[in-house]
Each structure stands twice: as structure tokens, then as C-alpha cells.
């Protein structure tokens, strides 16, 4: 049985952990609910943030099992969302031209669509990778 190719990067996870008190690393590894909790509680008053330093490898392994690898790279999609998401560039990368244009013209639907994508980007990339297989 061949090893599953990486979907997420531990290095990027640790870089996101630096901003982990805002939950960024948890969103990146596909844990949006705890990412939201981390955002509003400053990483559960920084204690959970410190604990996550040791949990990132297991979060990465879970993401490898949960999400589909393929041509569309998770890290690139996350970088596009984080830096250019209000312009919808990540949507163009995912082949979603219609919503990409809408995001471009509306600032990511005034930021609400960007927040939605923050919670669902891993699933969107996984779905895209499954479609590209067949």
C-alpha cells in the first residue's frame, strides 16, 4: 500500500501556530469550530495555544487521513485565501470562476464569503481533488 501524499505541511502549520492564538493553524488543519473558539478566547487564554505546539503533528496526520490529495494544493489555496481571499483569487484557483468574479467585485461578499471559505476551504480543495481524479 503506497503512502498517502501530503495534503498539508507541518512547517506551514507551525508558522500558522505563531498566530495560533487567533486559531489560524486550527483552520488550516480543518478544525474550524475550535479555530473559532481559539479566535474568540485568544487560544483559550494562551494555554491551549501552548498545548497546540505539541499537537500540530497529530493535527497534520489527521488532515492527511481526512482530506483527498491531488493536483490542487492545500497550502497554495490557504495562502491565496489568507492574502488575496477578499479578491476571490483562491476561488479562481479552485476553478470556481463564477464565485471568483463575484468575490472580486464585492470584496468577498463584504467579507462574509471569506469567513465561510475560512471554515470550508479544506473540504472545497478535497472535493476539487476528487473531481480531478475522475
Amino acid at each position: 500500500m503506497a503512502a498517502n501524499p501530503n495534503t498539508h505541511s507541518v512547517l506551514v502549520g507551525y508558522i500558522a501556530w505563531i498566530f495560533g492564538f487567533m486559531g489560524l493553524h486550527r483552520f488550516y488543519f480543518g478544525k474550524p469550530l475550535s479555530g473559532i473558539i481559539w479566535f474568540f478566547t485568544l487560544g483559550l487564554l494562551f494555554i491551549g495555544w501552548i498545548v497546540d505546539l505539541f499537537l500540530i503533528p497529530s493535527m497534520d496526520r489527521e488532515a492527511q487521513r481526512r482530506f483527498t490529495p491531488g493536483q490542487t494544493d492545500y497550502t497554495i489555496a490557504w495562502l491565496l485565501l489568507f492574502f488575496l481571499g477578499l479578491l476571490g483569487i483562491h476561488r479562481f484557483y479552485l476553478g470556481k470562476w463564477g464565485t471568483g468574479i463575484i468575490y472580486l467585485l464585492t470584496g468577498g461578499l463584504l467579507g462574509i464569503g471569506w469567513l465561510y471559505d475560512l471554515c470550508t476551504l479544506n473540504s472545497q480543495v478535497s472535493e476539487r481533488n476528487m473531481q480531478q481524479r475522475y
Side-chain angles (χ1 to χ4, degrees):
M1 178 181 235
N4 216 10
N6 284 341
T7 58
H8 293 72
S9 164
V10 173
L11 176 63
V12 172
Y14 278 114
I15 292 169
W17 173 83
I18 293 169
F19 301 101
F21 61 90
M22 296 178 350
L24 183 58
H25 63 294
R26 289 192 160 265
F27 285 106
Y28 176 69
F29 286 120
K31 297 178 170 291
L33 182 59
S34 61
I36 292 168
I37 292 168
W38 257 232
F39 179 80
F40 286 111
T41 63
L42 295 175
L44 292 178
L45 303 175
F46 295 104
I47 295 168
W49 179 62
I50 299 297
V51 170
D52 277 355
L53 177 63
F54 303 101
L55 294 179
I56 284 178
S58 67
M59 284 190 237
D60 180 61
R61 284 190 300 274
E62 182 182 336
Q64 305 304 339
R65 286 190 301 270
R66 190 169 158 207
F67 299 111
T68 306
Q71 292 178 342
T72 304
D73 186 88
Y74 289 83
T75 301
I76 291 173
W78 273 101
L79 290 171
L80 292 173
L81 172 67
F82 192 72
F83 292 109
L84 300 168
L86 293 176
L87 300 174
I89 305 303
H90 63 291
R91 291 225 159 226
F92 291 114
Y93 178 67
L94 292 173
K96 298 180 177 186
W97 292 91
T99 55
I101 291 170
I102 291 170
Y103 274 42
L104 185 63
L105 297 175
T106 63
L109 297 177
L110 302 175
I112 296 170
W114 184 85
L115 290 173
Y116 170 79
D117 286 345
L118 190 65
C119 294
T120 63
L121 186 65
N122 284 315
S123 297
Q124 291 179 51
V125 174
S126 190
E127 181 180 312
R128 173 80 173 162
N129 284 335
M130 282 190 280
Q131 290 171 350
Q132 289 173 339
R133 281 185 171 180
Y134 304 105

